[in-house]
Every structure is written in C-alpha cells, then in structure tokens.
Amino acid sequence: MPSGRQIKKDEKAKHNKKDAFHEFENKTSDAWDDGDDDLIQMANLKLSLKDVHTSAKVVLDNHSKKANSLQKQQLEDNAASNNKGLNSPQSYNSNHHHPHHYHGGPGLGVRLNSGGYQPPKMTSIRYVTNTAPDREATKIDKFKALFAEPSLDLSDLRQLCWSGIPKAVRPTAWKILSGYLPTAADRRQETLERKRKEYFGYIDQYYETRYQDLHEETFRQILKDIPRMTTLAHLFQEKAVQEIFERILYIWAIRHPASGYVQGINDLVTPFFVVFLSEYIENDIEVENCDLTELPQSTRDLIEADSFWCMSKLLDGIQDNYTFAQPGIQMKVNALRELIKRIDAPLFHHLERQGVEFLQFSFRWMNNLLMREIPLRCTIRLWDTYQSEINGFADFHLYVCAAFLKRFSEDALREQDFQGILMLLQNLPTLHWKDKEISELLAEAYKLKYMFADAPRHLLLKS
C-alpha cells in the first residue's frame, strides 16, 4: 500500500502535468485558427466513453484565444527565412540532418494565424485547354480507356488511382470512386443531371429555414467557421464562394440530424470543390487570386452540387467522427496511441514522460483528415489514395497519421519539454511538401497497414 508521502508525490506530479498544459495554453493557442483550439481542451479529459458527453460539451461550447506573439514571431522568423531561400541548405535547422524534413517554414496551423494576411493581386480565370504534359499523357489514356468501358471495374480504377491521379481526369475519377457516379458508363450523364437537380431541390425546400429558431444556431456556427478557411486559399475570401459553402453545409446538416453540423466538416468540402473547379479553370488557386464570378453561374452550380454529393458520400463513411461527442475520433486517437507505442517506443515514452497527450495534437488530424497539417495540393494527392482504399478515410487514415508522426520522431525527441514538443506537433514544417513527400508518407502507411491489418484487436479502444 503506498505511503501518504508517495500519494502526495503522485498528486503533485499530476498537478504539475496539468500546470504544464495550462501554462502552455496561456502562452500559445492551438495552431489551428481563431476559434478552433477549443478542441485541444479535450486533452484534459479521460478518454473513457463515460466522459464522452462532457468532453463534447467542452469542444462545442468553448471558443479560443487569439494567436499570440510567439506564433507571430515564428511567422516573422519564417518570413525572413523565405527571403533567404527556403530550399537552400542554409535554411535547414543546423541540428537537423534528416533529408526529408524541412525547417524552412511552419506548418499550416501557424500560417492560418497570420495576422497581416494580404491576398495577391487578382488574376483572370484561365479556362482548361485539355492539354497535358507528355509524361502524363500515357496515364491519362489509361484512365480514359477505363472510363469508356461499359461497366468499369472499380478494383482496376482503384489500382490506377492509388499512386496519384492526373489533374485532367481527377474530377471524373473522384466522382466514381466516391460512389457519386455509377460504374456503368451509359448511366453517368443521367445520374449527374438527376443528382444536381435533386440538390437544388433541397436548396428550394430547406435553405430558407436557416433563420428559423430550430436551425438558427446551426447556421450561425456555419457562418462562423467558413471565414476560418479563407487563408487555405485566396479563393475562399470571395463572398460567392463562401455562399456556396454555406448552402452545402447547411443542407448537409439539415439532412443529417443525428450529427448535424460539427466544427471541422467545413474543411472537408474544400478538396472536392477545388478538384471539380479544376475541370473548368487552369488557375492554381493555392497561389493565385482569381474571381470566381467570372465563371458562368450555371458552371458554379454544377461544381456546388457535385461537391455536396461527394462530401456527403465521404461523411457517410466517417460519420461516427461527427456524431454528438465524436466518440469515433476519440477511439481513433486511442488507436493511434497504441500503434505508435508498438512502432516507435522511444517517441511514445518521450511523449509520456513530458505529459503530452495524443489528443492534444492528433484530434485535429482525425477531425480534419490532416488538412490543417499539409498544403492543399498535398491533401488532394492524399485523397487520391484515400479514395482508392476501401474505407480509406476511416481505416487507412489511421496508418497515414502514424506514418506522419513517425516521420517527425527525431524532431520530437530533440524537444526536451512539454511546450517544445506540442509547438512542434501542432506546427509541423510541411510548407514545401509536394507529391514526393506524400508518396513517401503513403508508402510507409501501406507498410504499417499490412503489418497490423491481420492483428487489429490491439487497436480497439479499451474503455
């Protein structure tokens, strides 16, 4: 039986852990963006399902502090690095020797908190010309041949898409992979027309109810969250684009009363919207600022309806992430913890010694499918593979998160205190990531999946 002194010592250790977390919270906001670090507060709650409703209330009711001077200083430092050339060897951390890791720019979380954001000058829309680089031409031909088959074999399409989809054929591939378009070629056009009409029927039926007492709070939350996406790409500052997202999210919430609208769902529309927009324009919306009102209203309507249906299909597969209290995400965070314990014991024990809870950094990874951790172009490439995997957004995502954390293991081990570790893990240096880094991440996740796919019991939540 432990002595009174030992009990006091244990209580003091627990108290110090809490103090470390609260001290960190006071010094820096969760590097998501204004209003979203309420999620991090769940880290102070036990992960048993008994506490799920309490934790959900914390998540949904609390709103965050502003990003502070520490993050602004990081932005200034990284801006200075930009001027020196981020890809030069001098811009790497002097203590860092891993060739895959960049220290020339912060993760997306910090960039979202940029105070003095100024969009670039407006550029005109450039319409798609249907010309592809020679190196992609052969792969595009394979896709087109597959699309033309009377009854497409989904397993063939998944195999072709897993390693990345050329931009020219990505919109069609995503619509088929998500289950929005049928595999039968002769039914696709009819399906598109019917589903688009159905979506705008919902707009006519439901959208005017958004200010009714029953739905006003839902719509208010949507209106609050959409501006938070604006620094993901300049396009999302435009009123016309924000109104598209408002309609999509509100109609989805009305039609899914079990979960309703939950913070984070707004981001999941973005990749679909950008990919379906790329069917019509060539502009790189990550770096260009183009006026979408230049596109005909009829074209914008098609993009809106297709984005709604594909997002709906995606959420059908991960809806337990967004039902009240979000138990699905909490289970996945626990599964990630167990997986890291097995594949990277030194990192696991380092996090444990410093009192860093997995929920404090990986809730966001699960809630937003890593969208806040990597550039938009990388998210789109990642989703090529997620849609190629059976239950990719639910099951394979876990292995991608494990590979993602493991990739920065050396960096985390070099951080010797709670604050240093959490700042790193919430602001991972992914600014310059491209397809190469995503391909490496996916290859590692694929290995993990097949190491553990036959022994999944250890990943179940122990309640």
Side-chain angles (χ1 to χ4, degrees), residues 198-411:
E198 188 178 340
Y199 170 70
F200 283 101
Y202 293 146
I203 296 289
D204 293 340
Q205 184 178 353
Y206 298 118
Y207 196 55
E208 64 180 21
T209 69
R210 64 194 183 280
Y211 295 116
Q212 292 178 2
D213 289 348
L214 183 62
H215 305 302
E216 189 177 9
E217 180 57 29
T218 294
F219 192 62
R220 187 193 65 78
Q221 186 63 48
I222 290 169
L223 290 179
K224 184 188 290 186
D225 287 352
I226 287 175
R228 295 171 179 167
M229 305 186 310
T230 56
T231 46
L232 285 171
H234 316 299
L235 183 71
F236 300 117
Q237 293 190 336
E238 293 180 22
K239 188 171 186 293
V241 176
Q242 292 192 1
E243 286 172 351
I244 287 171
F245 276 66
E246 287 166 18
R247 287 190 293 270
I248 288 173
L249 293 167
Y250 182 72
I251 297 304
W252 187 87
I254 288 293
R255 297 191 70 247
H256 293 81
S259 59
Y261 176 76
V262 176
Q263 197 176 43
I265 290 177
N266 54 310
D267 279 339
L268 304 185
V269 186
T270 306
F272 292 116
F273 182 80
V274 172
V275 166
F276 299 151
L277 180 60
S278 74
E279 217 170 338
Y280 303 96
I281 70 171
E282 289 286 1
N283 304 68
D284 181 350
I285 72 149
E286 256 193 318
V287 296
E288 291 184 66
N289 187 13
C290 55
D291 183 358
L292 209 66
T293 58
E294 291 178 27
L295 271 180
Q297 181 66 50
S298 57
T299 301
R300 283 181 273 156
D301 287 349
L302 302 184
I303 296 166
E304 178 178 340
D306 293 350
S307 299
F308 168 81
W309 285 115
C310 288
M311 182 208 72
S312 296
K313 291 287 188 182
L314 162 58
L315 282 167
D316 284 348
I318 57 170
Q319 197 166 345
D320 65 337
N321 285 9
Y322 299 101
T323 49
F324 183 73
Q326 299 166 291
I329 285 182
Q330 298 193 52
M331 289 178 187
K332 288 183 176 81
V333 168
N334 254 14
L336 177 65
R337 184 180 184 277
E338 291 302 310
L339 192 51
I340 293 297
K341 188 175 182 179
R342 284 156 177 75
I343 65 172
D344 196 336
L347 174 62
F348 177 85
H349 293 303
H350 183 57
L351 296 177
E352 201 168 51
R353 278 193 301 271
Q354 298 302 328
V356 177
E357 299 283 352
F358 274 69
L359 195 62
Q360 289 165 340
F361 60 87
S362 66
F363 188 100
R364 187 174 77 192
W365 299 7
M366 301 300 175
N367 193 57
N368 287 72
L369 299 174
L370 290 175
M371 282 189 63
R372 296 283 171 142
E373 320 311 318
I374 59 179
L376 182 56
R377 62 185 175 273
C378 293
T379 292
I380 289 170
R381 167 63 193 91
L382 187 64
W383 283 27
D384 287 347
T385 300
Y386 279 1
Q387 295 191 91
S388 305
E389 285 274 335
I390 307 292
N391 296 323
F393 290 99
D395 300 340
F396 191 61
H397 180 62
L398 171 66
Y399 299 104
V400 171
C401 287
F404 189 64
L405 180 55
K406 193 171 187 294
R407 187 182 182 97
F408 294 100
S409 180
E410 291 177 23
D411 304 77

Side-chain angles (χ1 to χ4, degrees), residues 108-126:
L108 191 56
V110 163
R111 302 200 303 281
L112 282 165
N113 277 314
S114 172
Y117 170 78
Q118 288 295 328
K121 290 180 180 176
M122 193 70 77
T123 52
S124 294
I125 281 179
R126 299 188 305 280

Side-chain angles (χ1 to χ4, degrees), residues 171-203:
T172 303
W174 275 28
K175 287 169 190 171
I176 297 171
L177 287 171
S178 69
Y180 173 42
L181 282 187
T183 53
D186 62 357
R187 288 180 48 224
R188 283 180 208 142
Q189 190 55 39
E190 177 270 326
T191 300
L192 278 176
E193 290 170 5
R194 176 170 49 81
K195 297 301 278 184
R196 288 163 175 170
K197 185 178 178 183
E198 188 178 340
Y199 170 70
F200 283 101
Y202 293 146
I203 296 289

Side-chain angles (χ1 to χ4, degrees), residues 139-167:
K139 193 168 186 180
I140 288 171
D141 287 343
K142 287 181 182 176
F143 273 95
K144 287 183 174 174
L146 206 52
F147 294 158
E149 289 181 5
S151 186
L152 177 151
D153 187 324
L154 263 181
S155 61
D156 289 346
L157 181 61
R158 288 192 182 108
Q159 193 173 353
L160 195 55
C161 293
W162 204 97
S163 58
I165 307 171
K167 183 181 175 182

